[in-house]
């Protein structure tokens, strides 16, 4: 069973610094997660084919690809009219990395 020492070990492996009160608060949450994983591991999935994507299981929710065609007209001039700074049709923004 998981105890407070396991919480500190997991925190150390995760490069997290937890205070004693934080570790105490996390312990029941981790127990719940590991209990759920334990329940899921009991399910026999040996005869189930893996899906390439979970949504493909529900065909009517599968998202077909639309045709790759232009659906908007080019309004660059109109869109750039409100730009505080621009050059050659591109927005200019302040440098954030020196």
């Amino acid at each position: 069973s998981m105890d407070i020492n396991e919480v500190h070990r997991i925190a150390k492996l995760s490069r997290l610094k937890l205070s004693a009160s934080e570790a105490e608060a996390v312990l029941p949450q981790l127990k719940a997660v590991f209990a759920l994983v334990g329940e899921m591991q009991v399910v026999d999935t040996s005869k189930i084919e893996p899906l390439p994507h979970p949504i493909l299981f529900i065909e009517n929710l599968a998202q077909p690809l639309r045709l790759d065609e232009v659906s908007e007209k080019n309004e660059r001039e109109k869109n750039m009219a409100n730009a505080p700074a621009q050059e050659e049709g591109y927005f200019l923004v302040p440098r954030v990395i020196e």
Side-chain angles (χ1 to χ4, degrees), residues 2-86:
M2 179 170 280
D3 62 11
I4 200 68
N5 293 326
E6 284 292 307
V7 173
H8 287 295
R9 187 177 79 77
I10 291 169
K12 183 178 179 183
L13 291 171
S14 303
R15 305 283 195 261
L16 298 174
K17 290 185 179 180
L18 294 180
S19 67
S21 62
E22 289 171 327
E24 289 290 340
V26 167
L27 179 58
Q29 296 171 5
L30 282 176
K31 282 184 176 181
V33 167
F34 283 105
L36 179 60
V37 169
E39 286 178 34
M40 291 168 51
Q41 287 179 334
V42 172
V43 176
D44 179 17
T45 59
S46 61
K47 297 176 183 164
I48 297 175
E49 282 290 318
L51 295 171
H53 192 284
I55 199 150
L56 295 178
F57 179 69
I58 308 169
E59 271 187 48
N60 60 347
L61 288 182
Q63 299 176 4
L65 297 177
R66 66 174 175 81
L67 294 176
D68 187 16
E69 57 189 22
V70 176
S71 59
E72 304 284 329
K73 60 183 178 177
N74 184 352
E75 297 189 32
R76 178 178 283 209
E77 295 299 320
K78 182 179 169 186
N79 294 336
M80 297 301 291
N82 293 324
Q86 58 177 298

